[in-house]
Amino acid sequence: MWNGLVGVAKESYTAALGEGVVPRPLMMPLVRGDLVGLIWTRPLKVGQDALAGIAELANVAAAAGADEVVLAWETHDVATACELPIAGPAPCLNMVHATPGGHVLHQFPYSEQLLSRSPEGWASVAPDWWPAPAPQPGGELVPPIQAAVDFSFTPVELDHPDPFGVTVVLMEEDGYRISLTEAFAR
């Protein structure tokens, strides 16, 4: 399963970078080994909004009763959006695999190969993936990612007959992009 999730994240990053954009942070919650779906952050404003928007990725995982989550983000992009110092390699696709008992940080550094530049100055690039360093059990996570991990395993107390469904609808209304697997689609 892990290799498949890494493949999805790398493909998503490669496609987005080829279009001249950095993909938004992504969460992939799992329940008993089954993927719930893919949840991308809503458009974020620099500062507190970005911190909150990334942490709120946890809402779907918590509502689904996830027992593990995988989050993916780009080092420089999250540091810039959240006004944090850059920690770790950049550019780098980071992925954390977390359970209620702990987490393991995986990093996939890359260099950018320029494909083209638009008249407006936007660069289309392709990642040239470098060898990944060893996974880091308990590796340090930037605050919004740590918050998303922590909140993913906090039970949702929502007085509604379908807390998962209403959470998905509310998050989509807020601008999060959610793609549920067939098993969890409503």
Side-chain angles (χ1 to χ4, degrees), residues 51-71:
L51 291 164
I54 294 168
E56 289 168 359
L57 284 169
N59 292 344
V60 171
D67 49 15
E68 56 185 312
V69 295
V70 174
L71 282 90

Side-chain angles (χ1 to χ4, degrees), residues 25 27 41 44 47-58 71 73-75 77-85 96 140-152:
M27 178 177 273
T41 59
L44 304 170
Q48 289 297 318
D49 182 66
L51 291 164
I54 294 168
E56 289 168 359
L57 284 169
L71 282 90
W73 72 98
E74 201 285 324
T75 300
D77 184 53
V78 167
T80 300
C82 296
E83 299 177 315
L84 299 168
V96 63
E140 185 175 350
L141 304 175
V142 292
I145 300 297
Q146 184 66 62
V149 166
D150 294 343
F151 296 141
S152 290

Side-chain angles (χ1 to χ4, degrees), residues 53-173:
I54 294 168
E56 289 168 359
L57 284 169
N59 292 344
V60 171
D67 49 15
E68 56 185 312
V69 295
V70 174
L71 282 90
W73 72 98
E74 201 285 324
T75 300
H76 189 266
D77 184 53
V78 167
T80 300
C82 296
E83 299 177 315
L84 299 168
I86 294 175
C92 183
L93 166 63
N94 299 280
M95 293 182 71
V96 63
H97 177 238
T99 64
H103 70 268
V104 178
L105 175 62
H106 302 262
Q107 295 181 306
F108 303 95
Y110 60 92
S111 58
E112 296 176 341
Q113 305 301 317
L114 181 64
L115 298 176
S116 65
R117 190 170 297 281
S118 74
E120 298 81 27
W122 293 100
S124 173
V125 300
D128 182 14
W129 300 103
W130 295 358
Q136 302 168 45
E140 185 175 350
L141 304 175
V142 292
I145 300 297
Q146 184 66 62
V149 166
D150 294 343
F151 296 141
S152 290
F153 306 113
T154 302
V156 171
E157 295 184 20
L158 188 60
D159 187 20
H160 190 277
D162 183 11
F164 176 73
V166 77
T167 299
V168 168
V169 168
L170 291 173
M171 288 190 65
E172 286 177 331
E173 287 176 356

